[in-house]
Amino acid sequence: MDPKKTSAEMEYADILHLPHRESPNHPRMSLHDRAAQFSPFAALTGYEAAVEETARLTEARLEMSEDKKQMLDEKLRLLLETSDRPVSVCITYFVPDAHKAGGAYVTVIGRIREIDAFGKSLILTDQRTIPLADLWEIEW
């Protein structure tokens, strides 16, 4: 018995130095493919997106007082009177969120092309359409 050999080496000495068996039915896997078996994977697909969506904040739509509604109507009336010469206006309006309750108040600067009474919206010269029900403020 050789004192330098371990018990495992002595136990498997007869097969230890035999050539590796190659399967005739399955080709040898590349090192890249073998490594891919052990790479991490996303067990919870879409979880990160769901957490981000839940964390995204929205604002509640503010209730407009009757005085503010009258003031906004008066401003729209004045804009109708000056429709022959478009003025630059600053409009704040509510944009409802497509995925959650609430939305955001957005302020844009532009020129009003027309006030569509049938569609109940403002149409700006850059083709943006703002529903009158979502208007919060108009300044010029």
Side-chain angles (χ1 to χ4, degrees), residues 7-28:
S7 63
E9 285 178 314
M10 289 191 299
E11 194 175 332
Y12 299 105
D14 60 330
I15 63 168
L16 194 60
H17 299 291
L18 290 177
H20 182 72
R21 181 182 170 282
E22 294 287 332
S23 170
N25 299 328
H26 304 287
R28 190 169 202 139

Side-chain angles (χ1 to χ4, degrees), residues 35-128:
Q37 290 184 41
F38 303 102
S39 65
F41 66 99
L44 300 173
T45 305
Y47 178 73
E48 287 295 320
V51 169
E52 286 177 16
E53 178 63 25
T54 302
R56 191 172 53 84
L57 299 176
T58 58
E59 295 178 62
R61 184 188 294 256
L62 300 173
E63 198 63 37
M64 192 178 293
S65 69
E66 288 300 317
D67 290 339
K68 187 161 177 83
K69 285 180 185 178
Q70 287 177 350
M71 191 181 320
L72 198 56
D73 285 343
E74 181 63 24
K75 287 181 179 181
L76 287 171
R77 189 185 60 74
L78 288 171
L79 282 171
L80 277 172
E81 289 175 1
T82 61
S83 61
D84 57 330
R85 53 191 196 307
V87 294
S88 184
V89 293
C90 180
I91 301 171
T92 302
Y93 65 102
F94 184 76
V95 178
D97 193 285
H99 304 290
K100 295 172 76 169
Y105 281 91
V106 177
T107 301
V108 295
I109 296 174
R111 294 180 182 272
I112 296 176
R113 189 181 80 198
E114 75 176 276
I115 298 174
D116 182 6
F118 180 72
K120 297 183 180 177
S121 60
L122 290 177
I123 302 172
L124 304 181
T125 55
D126 62 2
Q127 303 305 317
R128 268 188 286 201

